Each structure stands twice: as C-alpha cells, then as structure tokens.
C-alpha cells in the first residue's frame, strides 16, 4: 500500500509541476499578443491587480481555468475601455461605439424592436449590434460579449442563407474571420448571434447562424444621429441625401454646426486623414451617388496657397488627394470633393466661396 501511495504522490507531483504557479506569467505571451492585435491603443495592463487574484498555492485544473477566465476578463476590460468616449445610460463605451447588453431574453424580432425603442431618448438610431466596422472595432465588441459568457443576438439576418445583411443594409462578408468555424452552415438558421468558445488559455466569441425564434440576450448599438450614416468609424451627413440644395461654403459650415447630435459631440464640415478613416473608400462613398459638381469639405486656404483642415491640420498642396492641376491657389480658397464619373475617381478641387455645392457634415467627439 505504501508503494502505491508513494507512486500516486509522484504522479501528482509531476502533474503539479506542469501547472503554472502564476497563470498570468504562463500566459503572458498569448495575452499580450492578443491585446496588441485586438486594440493597439489600449491603456497599459495592470498586472499587479491581476496578480492579486492569483493564489500562491498550487490550484486544481478547475481553479486554474477560472483564473484564466478572470485574466481574459481583466484584459478585455483594459482593451475595451475608452476614456474619450462617453455613452448615455444604459449604453457603455466599447471601442469607438456605444452598446447596451441586455439582461433579458427575447427572440430576434422582439430584440430588434426593443433596441429600436431606445432611439427616442438618444437622438440617434439604435439597432441590434453589428460588425464589419474594422478589425479593432469588431474584436472589441466580441471580447466584451465573450467576457460575459452569454449568447447574444446581433443584427445580421438572411432570407436565402446565401446573402446575409446587417440591419443597416450592408452585406455581411461570409469569409470574415468573426464567423464561427464552418458558419453559417444550417439552412434553417437565419439570424446571427455571438457564441463563446472557452479554452484554458483564452476566451473568444464568434458569430453563428441561429434560429430566429430562440430567446436570447441581445446587444443594442447606438448608431449615428438621424439623417447621418456611419462610414467606417465616423458618422456623416450628406446634404444631397436629404434633398438640400447647393450652397456657399460658409453657409454649409453653419448648417453643419446647427445639426443636433448626442451630448458630448458636435458636427462640422467633414475632414479627411483622421485615425481610423479609410480615405480612399470614404472619398468615393461620400460623392459616388452625388449628382452635380461635388460637395464641400472642411478645408480652406489660410493664406494664398496654404491649405488647412478646419481642425487645424495642414492639407499639403502635394497631397495625392488633389486632382492633377489643383489647387489653383489665389482666389480659389475652399475645398470640394468631386467624383469624375468618366474615370470613376474622386479628387479634391479648390473653388471660390462664391461657388455653390452640396456638402458633407461629420460628427466629432469633444476632446
């Protein structure tokens, strides 16, 4: 009997040596790599806070897994925290957007209607949460969902199981990495939800096709103000989309500044070159469907040939955004975005403020 007990103790000892006394240290390579990929602008991690949760004694496999989950939550909290963004109750800031995670369960249509009902008090559209806003934004939302270890409805659906769309009309790219492995794969499941994958080293969330009548928790997303639409990380107001006529540059700017936007934000003429903007795509989307002769942007000549954006950044005359023979300098002191239909290309042109054009407003957050 003593020999048997001694043998068992030896096996347990060998197994215990395999367990990390401090899981934070053991998983730091994986966690740090994940954090840098998911959200490169996060605040520094606080290992002292995480370390305080780690017991000194050797823990069981179950306890070790619980500690890894706590680690994942701590990292997620750091990754998704955004000091610059303020969200009105009951929304919380994640990445560059505002979300509400429900405690109640509804089917897909009921969840969608409940989200829409939140629009009335926030001067903006509220829908089920959506993705495809960029890898950092998508990952921040999925991390927040995974940390709650709950299945949530998000706002994607299909009629034919081939063409999937988000609730704002954008196509869902079926090869996107946010889909779960092999998804979507069930012809009867026509709505999207987040589902959690747990591992001793990580916790992740993916999008799955789900039967629409299933009662689930849901995530609401605070979108752009009414008459604005989101392109990338920002909200834009296109004057021609709401039937406004062509105006002078200063009148366009005054109109943008008068627009009602959520608290903590303001509107002005749109600019290019901001962090998170895909300028080439943005320039095309802003004026691709615009009849006439282009749209005013928020840039002007401060001196004869020194152009600036309204936020004070320089717009170099050497920028490849300009059409080949602009800017003309001199009397042409306001900047317009123009789509050359013949070549299907967009460029910046400079015009006099005495000219009239459509215009594009953008919503900005107060620093």
């Amino acid at each position: 009997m003593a020999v048997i007990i001694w043998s068992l103790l030896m096996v347990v000892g060998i197994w215990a040596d395999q367990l990390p006394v401090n899981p934070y240290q053991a998983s730091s390579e994986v966690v740090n790599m994940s954090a840098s990929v998911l959200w490169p602008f996060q605040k520094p991690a606080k290992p002292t806070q995480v370390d305080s949760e780690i017991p000194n004694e050797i823990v069981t496999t179950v306890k070790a897994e619980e500690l890894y989950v706590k680690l994942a939550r701590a990292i997620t909290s750091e990754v998704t925290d955004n000091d610059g963004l303020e969200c009105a109750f009951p929304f919380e800031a994640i990445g560059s957007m505002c979300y509400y995670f429900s405690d109640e369960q509804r089917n897909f249509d009921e969840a969608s209607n409940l989200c829409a009902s939140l629009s009335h008090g926030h001067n903006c559209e509220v829908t089920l949460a959506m993705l495809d806003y960029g890898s950092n934004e998508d990952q921040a939302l999925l991390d927040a969902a995974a940390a709650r270890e709950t299945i949530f409805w998000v706002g994607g659906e299909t009629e034919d199981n081939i063409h999937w769309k988000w609730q704002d009309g954008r196509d869902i790219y079926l090869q996107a990495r946010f889909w779960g492995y092999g998804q979507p794969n069930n012809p009867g499941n026509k709505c999207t939800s987040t589902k959690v994958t747990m591992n001793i080293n990580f916790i992740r969330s993916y999008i799955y096709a789900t039967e629409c009548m299933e009662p689930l928790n849901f995530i609401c997303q605070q979108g752009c103000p009414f008459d604005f639409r989101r392109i990338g990380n920002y909200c834009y107001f296109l004057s021609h989309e709401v039937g406004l006529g062509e105006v002078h540059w200063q009148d366009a700017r005054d109109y943008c500044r008068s627009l009602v936007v959520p608290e903590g934000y303001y509107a002005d003429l749109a600019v290019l070159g901001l962090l998170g903007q895909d300028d080439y795509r943005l320039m095309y989307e802003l004026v691709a469907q615009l009849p006439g002769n282009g749209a005013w942007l928020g840039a002007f000549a401060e001196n004869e040939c020194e152009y600036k954006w309204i936020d004070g950044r320089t717009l170099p005359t050497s920028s490849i955004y300009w059409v080949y023979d602009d800017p003309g300098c001199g009397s042409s002191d306001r900047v317009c975005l123009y789509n050359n239909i013949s070549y299907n290309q967009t460029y910046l042109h400079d015009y006099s403020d005495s000219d009239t054009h459509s215009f594009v407003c953008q919503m900005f957050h107060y620093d």
Side-chain angles (χ1 to χ4, degrees), residues 235-264:
C235 296
Y236 299 89
F237 174 96
L238 282 62
S239 67
H240 68 277
E241 289 190 340
V242 296
L244 296 177
E246 297 182 349
V247 298
H248 301 298
W249 187 89
Q250 188 59 53
D251 292 334
R253 188 175 189 193
D254 290 342
Y255 189 93
C256 290
R257 288 169 157 178
S258 72
L259 291 170
V260 177
V261 295
E263 184 177 354

Side-chain angles (χ1 to χ4, degrees), residues 113-292:
N113 290 335
L114 281 172
C115 288
S117 71
L118 296 175
S119 300
H120 305 297
H122 294 89
N123 295 322
C124 63
E125 294 179 328
V126 179
T127 63
L128 283 171
M130 296 172 281
L131 288 87
D132 273 341
Y133 292 121
S135 58
N136 287 336
E137 194 71 50
D138 293 347
Q139 190 68 64
L141 175 59
L142 290 172
D143 282 350
R148 288 164 169 81
E149 301 177 34
T150 303
I151 301 176
F152 294 96
W153 284 123
V154 289
E157 53 190 324
T158 183
E159 294 182 357
D160 56 12
N161 295 103
I162 298 174
H163 304 95
W164 287 76
K165 287 185 176 293
W166 296 113
Q167 289 190 329
D168 60 6
R170 292 174 299 129
D171 291 330
I172 302 179
Y173 185 47
L174 295 182
Q175 284 70 44
R177 300 306 301 166
F178 51 66
W179 283 103
Y181 184 75
Q183 291 289 313
N185 64 358
N186 188 330
N189 295 339
K190 297 186 176 182
C191 299
T192 53
S193 67
T194 66
K195 292 188 179 180
V196 178
T197 297
M198 293 183 62
N199 184 289
I200 196 169
N201 294 318
F202 57 78
I203 178 170
R204 294 177 185 163
S205 192
Y206 294 94
I207 301 300
Y208 281 75
T210 306
E211 203 281 311
C212 301
M213 293 305 297
E214 186 174 343
L216 300 175
N217 295 77
F218 53 93
I219 309 172
C220 299
Q221 171 185 306
Q222 185 173 316
C224 296
F226 297 113
D227 292 329
F228 283 71
R229 63 185 175 97
R230 178 172 280 269
I231 304 176
N233 289 335
Y234 297 91
C235 296
Y236 299 89
F237 174 96
L238 282 62
S239 67
H240 68 277
E241 289 190 340
V242 296
L244 296 177
E246 297 182 349
V247 298
H248 301 298
W249 187 89
Q250 188 59 53
D251 292 334
R253 188 175 189 193
D254 290 342
Y255 189 93
C256 290
R257 288 169 157 178
S258 72
L259 291 170
V260 177
V261 295
E263 184 177 354
Y265 292 85
Y266 68 96
D268 208 328
L269 282 171
V271 301
L272 302 177
L274 297 179
L275 181 68
Q277 279 183 323
D278 181 350
D279 286 338
Y280 291 120
R281 173 191 168 202
L282 175 63
M283 291 169 69
Y284 178 79
E285 290 199 27
L286 291 178
V287 294
Q289 306 301 321
L290 176 61

Side-chain angles (χ1 to χ4, degrees), residues 38-39 41 76-87 92-99 136-142 144 230 233 265:
L38 305 187
W39 190 249
F41 308 107
T76 298
S77 175
E78 292 296 334
V79 169
T80 59
D81 186 27
N82 189 328
D83 288 334
L85 180 63
E86 297 177 2
C87 299
E92 62 181 277
I94 297 172
S96 65
M97 301 178 69
C98 299
Y99 299 95
N136 287 336
E137 194 71 50
D138 293 347
Q139 190 68 64
L141 175 59
L142 290 172
R230 178 172 280 269
N233 289 335
Y265 292 85

